[in-house]
């Protein structure tokens, strides 16, 4: 164990001597945490809506005014026919068409049932899809209002509850920043930890210093631990800085236990650093290590559930995300920070990440060759 | 004859089809200064890395300080010091920090580290540079520091791969003083060099050509055998037939 002390002493000396890198490690996440959530705002406003009202009734008017009052929609057309409205979609002037059929009011009152047609311009898919979802929500609300007005109160009980997706449930104002910040922090911690470790051993290979280490009787697991521990500490510091930034700038205070959060990050970092170390045992140059790490990071980030929802991925992609440590961190961060989930809730995630940590680090130790 | 510390029999290393070290057979005795000569690409570094447990041989047998080069590399490493051809200490650590780090890795105690570093710094005359980063040192001093780090843990054998390459004549002389000091204490020195005056300083030398050892004896006997006056001519006669080299 005394050997580890010397390894750590040396590693920290080198880290602290390289001030510019140290500054980057500390300052970069702060800047990114401030900038990225502002840019990655999924809340869509000014959705161009074209309405085709065949009914011209007080009820259809009421629906339209409810939609425009929501603040998300801009009425760009009020057309006579679906065909006219469709021209607007073709010229990209409308994102959505809402068609209210003839007899809307009558059917609603008498038959208690009515169909509306919503057409979506799929070119700007995100905007139109979200718009469609908002519109559906508004119509559902309207539906409840109407029934409340029309029906006797005992019948009101049968009205289905408005279902809101769980993310909105815990994030009631649809504040995407609250949703994004924990995810972005997860990615930052992963990138910093992964890249630093991937490049570190390779740097020693390039400089030739690893040869001088390999010719000593040092134990392989001591060497790997000597690389793991410093970056583990650094990763934790970055995470703490990140939590402070989210609190100071976004007012995000974890609903759940901080201890649980730190416990999870502690194990998660071992997994990510293990991957970095493993990559560096395979590579001879920093360029190789960089590219391989980049390959994994791209997949981790794009398939981590931050920018695209894992639920809407095809099955094969869902299977891939099961091997993506970032997806576990992002969901645990959201669970603990936004929902206040307990250890019991995140235990499955913790188990998988711990397996990654053990597997990747053992592999790194095995694959680190003192002789060739 | 005294105790054998390096024993190699038909030791061979291949890289694919290429035979970098071809059936090396040699013995080195305790306390000897053994010169390992050969033109560029002859296979000196390859052979030395096998002796140090850094490279596993393709075939043949060898024991270093009594330990097997296939199975007991970590025991070998406890008993040897190695100075690689390429400078390989930490440039971003100071002289003292490098000594402390490698001493620590070899398991020296804090007290030993303290006394060893003081001793080495004085011996090298690096008092003023002790707290400076290694990256700023002139090559000659770097090489002397590397040597000190290689003998820090009092190994039985030190392997020096071109320790004086590119070093000025005065520093070279000082370097050989360090080598003699170590040899006087009973350390076996295994050294490669391209300087023929240094070859003369060795007790025995071998000359490698294209992966094979073509001659092995004391400098005096070799000169007699080839009927020439200088080691330079011995080397020239053997090495001019070499196919490899830059
Ligand atoms: N890892 C390797 N893979 C393939 N070929 C190698 C490898 N290492 C060395 N060689 C080849 O083996 C030959 C011997 O190389 P080596 O470094 O042992 O020579 P050397 O005698 O030390 O030369 P120098 O005086 O230039 O240091 C060279 O032709 C070299 O290209
Ligand atoms: Mg060489």
């Amino acid at each position: 164990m005394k050997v580890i002390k010397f390894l750590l002493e040396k590693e920290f000396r080198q880290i602290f001597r390289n001030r510019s890198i140290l500054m980057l490690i500390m300052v970069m996440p702060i800047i990114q945490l401030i900038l990225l959530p502002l840019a990655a705002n999924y809340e869509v406003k000014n959705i161009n809506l074209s309405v085709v009202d065949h009914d011209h009734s007080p009820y259809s008017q009421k629906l339209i005014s409810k939609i425009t009052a929501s603040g998300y929609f801009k009425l760009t057309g009020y057309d006579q026919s679906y065909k006219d409205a469709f021209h607007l979609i073709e010229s990209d002037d409308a994102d959505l068409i809402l068609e209210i059929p003839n007899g809307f009011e009558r059917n609603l009152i008498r038959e208690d049932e009515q169909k509306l047609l919503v057409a979506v311009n799929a070119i700007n898919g995100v905007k139109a899809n979200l718009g469609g979802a908002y519109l559906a929500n508004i119509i559902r609300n309207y539906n409840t209002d109407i029934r409340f007005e029309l029906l006797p109160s005992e019948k009101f009980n049968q009205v289905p509850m408005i279902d809101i997706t769980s993310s909105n449930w815990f994030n009631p104002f649809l504040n995407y920043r609250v949703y994004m910040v924990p995810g972005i922090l997860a990615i930052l911690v992963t990138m910093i930890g992964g890249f630093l470790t991937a490049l570190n051993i390779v740097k020693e290979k390039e400089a030739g210093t690893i040869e001088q280490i390999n010719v000593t009787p040092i134990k392989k697991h001591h060497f790997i631990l000597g690389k793991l521990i410093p970056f583990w500490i650094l990763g934790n510091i970055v995470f703490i800085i990140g939590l402070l930034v989210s609190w100071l700038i976004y007012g995000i205070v974890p609903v759940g236990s901080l201890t649980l959060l730190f416990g999870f990050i502690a194990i998660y970092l071992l997994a990510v650093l293990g991957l970095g170390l493993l990559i560096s045992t395979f590579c001879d140059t920093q360029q190789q290590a960089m590219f391989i790490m980049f390959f994994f990071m791209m997949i981790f980030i794009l398939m981590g559930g931050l920018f695209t929802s894992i639920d809407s991925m095809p099955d094969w992609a869902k299977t891939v995300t099961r091997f993506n440590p970032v997806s576990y961190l992002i969901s645990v961060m959201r669970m603990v920070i936004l929902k206040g989930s307990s250890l019991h809730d995140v235990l499955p995630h913790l188990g998988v990440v711990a397996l990654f940590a053990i597997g990747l680090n053992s592999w790194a130790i095995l694959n680190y060759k003192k002789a060739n | 004859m005294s105790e054998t510390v390096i024993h190699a029999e038909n030791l061979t290393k291949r890289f694919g089809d290429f035979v970098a070290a071809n059936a090396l057979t040699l013995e080195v005795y305790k306390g000897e200064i053994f010169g390992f000569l050969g033109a560029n690409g002859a296979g000196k570094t390859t052979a030395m890395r096998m002796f140090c447990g850094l490279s596993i041989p393709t075939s043949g047998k060898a024991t270093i300080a009594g330990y097997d080069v296939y199975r007991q590399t970590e025991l070998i490493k406890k008993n040897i010091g190695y100075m690689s051809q390429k400078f390989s200490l930490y440039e971003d650590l100071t002289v003292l920090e490098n000594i402390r780090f490698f001493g620590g890795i070899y398991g020296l105690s804090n007290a030993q580290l303290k006394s060893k570093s003081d001793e080495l710094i004085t011996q090298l005359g690096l008092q003023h540079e002790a707290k400076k980063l290694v990256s700023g040192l002139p090559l000659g001093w770097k090489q002397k520091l590397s040597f000190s780090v290689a003998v820090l843990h009092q190994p039985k054998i030190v392997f020096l791969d071109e320790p004086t390459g590119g070093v000025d004549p005065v520093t070279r002389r000082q370097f050989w003083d360090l080598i003699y000091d170590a040899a006087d204490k009973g350390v076996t020195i295994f050294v490669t060099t391209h300087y023929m005056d240094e070859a003369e300083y060795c007790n025995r030398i071998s000359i490698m050509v294209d992966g094979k050892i073509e001659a092995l004896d004391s400098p005096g006997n070799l000169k007699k055998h080839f009927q020439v006056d200088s080691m330079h001519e011995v080397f020239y006669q053997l090495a001019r037939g070499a196919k490899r080299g830059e």
Side-chain angles (χ1 to χ4, degrees):
Chain A
M1 281 302 113
K2 248 185 65 203
V3 169
I4 299 220
K5 188 194 93 180
F6 285 103
L7 285 168
L8 294 186
E9 190 182 287
K10 166 233 162 206
E11 213 62 52
F12 275 114
R13 278 212 173 100
Q14 290 181 305
I15 291 170
F16 282 113
R17 204 149 276 163
N18 204 340
R19 282 288 153 84
S20 51
I21 291 284
L22 194 63
M23 281 302 284
L24 282 177
I25 295 173
M26 299 298 159
V27 173
M28 249 170 35
I30 299 181
I31 296 175
Q32 287 179 317
L33 262 185
I34 295 173
L35 286 182
L36 291 180
L38 294 177
N41 188 344
Y42 278 163
E43 198 169 29
V44 177
K45 289 207 166 128
N46 301 324
I47 303 161
N48 298 319
L49 177 73
S50 172
V51 175
V52 187
D53 185 0
H54 298 294
D55 198 43
H56 301 289
S57 67
Y59 278 110
S60 68
Q61 287 304 323
K62 204 168 170 180
L63 176 61
I64 293 166
S65 70
K66 193 171 168 73
I67 290 168
T68 47
S70 72
Y72 291 112
F73 297 93
K74 214 166 75 190
L75 210 55
T76 46
Y78 193 79
D79 303 290
Q80 292 308 315
S81 70
Y82 185 77
K83 219 172 163 187
D84 292 340
F86 199 76
H87 284 307
L88 287 178
I89 283 209
E90 281 175 335
S91 62
D92 225 13
D93 290 322
D95 301 306
L96 284 173
I97 304 174
L98 172 68
E99 191 176 20
I100 304 172
N102 203 355
F104 173 73
E105 184 181 61
R106 190 182 28 147
N107 290 343
L108 201 62
I109 296 171
R110 291 199 195 140
E111 283 155 39
D112 203 14
E113 190 185 296
Q114 181 53 55
K115 286 205 171 65
L116 291 167
L117 177 77
V118 177
V120 163
N121 175 2
I123 290 181
N124 188 347
V126 174
K127 196 173 176 187
N129 273 325
L130 271 169
Y134 291 165
L135 198 57
N137 235 329
I138 293 167
I139 294 168
R140 221 177 293 135
N141 271 323
Y142 166 84
N143 198 14
T144 326
D145 293 349
I146 295 288
R147 281 156 185 255
F148 193 61
E149 267 174 42
L150 290 174
L151 304 169
S153 53
E154 67 266 23
K155 260 191 140 183
F156 173 66
N157 290 338
Q158 292 166 2
V159 175
M161 284 294 293
I162 311 160
D163 55 294
I164 310 175
T165 59
S166 61
S167 60
N168 296 359
W169 189 264
F170 294 102
N171 181 6
F173 307 107
L174 265 176
N175 182 346
Y176 274 92
R177 276 171 221 159
V178 172
Y179 192 59
M180 292 301 284
V181 170
I184 289 173
L185 178 54
I187 286 177
L188 285 177
V189 169
T190 309
M191 299 241 306
I192 289 176
F195 274 107
L196 282 180
T197 40
L199 293 181
N200 188 279
I201 294 184
V202 181
K203 196 174 137 206
E204 294 224 17
K205 286 186 190 174
E206 280 184 350
T209 50
I210 196 126
E211 186 101 331
Q212 201 66 50
I213 300 250
N214 285 344
V215 84
T216 70
I218 192 172
K219 300 253 181 336
K220 292 203 295 179
H221 65 274
H222 284 166
F223 178 76
I224 294 287
L225 275 176
K227 292 289 180 193
L228 196 62
I229 297 171
F231 295 107
W232 183 85
I233 294 175
L234 228 51
N236 275 301
I237 294 175
V238 169
F239 184 66
I240 293 171
I241 294 178
L243 282 185
L244 285 175
V245 171
S246 349
W247 172 53
L248 291 173
I249 307 228
Y250 302 103
I252 299 173
V253 181
V255 182
S257 137
L258 265 182
T259 320
L260 177 59
L261 214 49
F262 281 115
F264 189 85
I265 266 292
I267 300 198
Y268 175 81
L269 276 172
L270 292 180
V272 172
L273 302 186
L275 176 71
L277 290 177
L278 178 63
I279 289 176
S280 71
T281 60
F282 274 108
C283 299
D284 291 322
T285 66
Q286 296 194 56
Q287 257 164 328
Q288 290 171 354
M290 222 24 202
F291 275 113
I292 296 182
M293 200 62 195
F294 211 76
F295 170 79
F296 282 107
M297 282 297 165
M298 287 297 280
I299 294 177
F300 286 175
I301 293 170
L302 293 177
M303 299 184 81
L306 179 62
F307 298 110
T308 41
S309 154
I310 292 175
D311 290 333
S312 57
M313 288 178 190
D315 285 340
W316 66 265
K318 277 186 196 161
T319 311
V320 173
T321 63
R322 264 181 226 126
F323 296 95
N324 178 358
V326 178
S327 74
Y328 294 93
L329 180 62
I330 291 180
S331 72
V332 167
M333 294 270 279
R334 282 175 179 164
M335 283 164 84
V336 177
I337 295 182
L338 304 181
K339 276 205 282 189
S341 302
S342 67
L343 173 63
H344 183 76
D345 304 317
V346 304
L347 214 50
H349 301 70
L350 197 63
V352 175
V353 170
L355 281 182
F356 280 138
I358 295 168
L360 289 167
N361 285 296
S362 315
W363 191 0
I365 292 173
L366 280 179
N367 199 54
Y368 162 48
K369 300 248 168 19
K370 286 183 73 183
N372 49 43
Chain B
M1 204 42 93
S2 76
E3 180 191 342
T4 301
V5 288
I6 301 176
H7 174 89
E9 248 180 85
N10 293 320
L11 197 67
T12 300
K13 180 79 182 187
R14 288 171 192 273
F15 296 108
D17 289 338
F18 182 75
V19 189
N22 193 350
L24 307 181
T25 300
L26 61 84
E27 288 208 331
V28 177
Y29 308 108
K30 186 172 188 304
E32 243 191 328
I33 300 179
F34 190 92
F36 200 55
L37 275 55
N40 290 129
K44 304 181 295 293
T45 301
T46 306
M48 208 178 248
R49 293 185 81 248
M50 287 193 282
F51 293 146
C52 293
L54 284 171
S55 167
I56 304 296
T58 314
S59 63
K61 276 196 283 193
T63 55
I64 309 298
Y67 298 111
D68 184 73
V69 289
Y70 292 93
R71 291 174 292 108
Q72 297 173 305
T73 53
E74 298 311 289
L75 286 168
I76 291 177
K77 287 169 186 175
K78 274 204 177 92
N79 290 285
I80 61 149
Y82 172 61
M83 180 178 162
S84 77
Q85 186 169 359
K86 179 171 183 285
F87 180 74
S88 51
L89 299 184
Y90 291 95
E91 303 254 1
D92 53 352
L93 295 182
T94 68
V95 170
L96 267 179
E97 286 164 358
N98 267 295
I99 295 176
R100 184 178 158 74
F101 172 67
F102 284 104
I105 298 290
Y106 278 111
L108 269 60
S109 70
N110 267 323
Q112 281 174 311
L113 280 175
K114 180 85 186 60
S115 68
K116 262 286 169 193
S117 359
D118 288 347
E119 184 192 317
L120 285 174
I121 298 283
T122 325
Q123 192 184 11
L124 298 179
L126 282 173
Q127 287 90 341
H128 294 291
E129 280 73 24
K131 295 210 161 80
K132 283 190 192 151
L133 292 186
V134 165
S135 55
L137 293 183
L139 180 68
W141 287 2
K142 281 187 183 171
Q143 295 301 88
K144 285 197 272 181
L145 177 62
S146 295
F147 177 79
S148 324
V149 168
V151 296
L152 201 54
H153 56 295
Q154 293 172 305
K156 294 200 178 104
I157 312 162
V158 223
F159 291 89
L160 307 170
D161 198 351
E162 285 186 43
T164 53
V167 172
D168 70 67
V170 177
T171 316
R172 255 184 341 117
R173 199 53 197 258
Q174 293 170 346
F175 199 96
W176 274 88
D177 288 340
L178 292 174
I179 292 182
Y180 277 122
D181 270 359
D184 284 345
K185 289 179 193 151
V187 179
T188 308
I189 310 281
F190 189 97
V191 58
T192 73
T193 180
H194 288 300
Y195 298 107
M196 289 309 132
D197 58 330
E198 293 184 354
E200 304 269 10
Y201 300 154
C202 300
N203 300 121
R204 287 192 305 146
I205 56 174
S206 70
I207 299 179
M208 254 181 114
V209 181
D210 289 350
K212 290 201 192 88
I213 293 182
E214 294 292 353
L216 195 167
D217 212 330
S218 67
N221 286 347
L222 282 174
K223 279 184 281 191
K224 232 183 275 167
H225 181 265
F226 285 87
Q227 298 173 326
V228 290
D229 304 328
S230 68
M231 273 310 300
H232 189 90
E233 294 200 40
V234 174
F235 187 83
Y236 184 73
Q237 285 203 14
L238 283 169
R240 74 179 155 194
K243 310 265 185 312
R244 289 183 202 165
E246 286 153 323

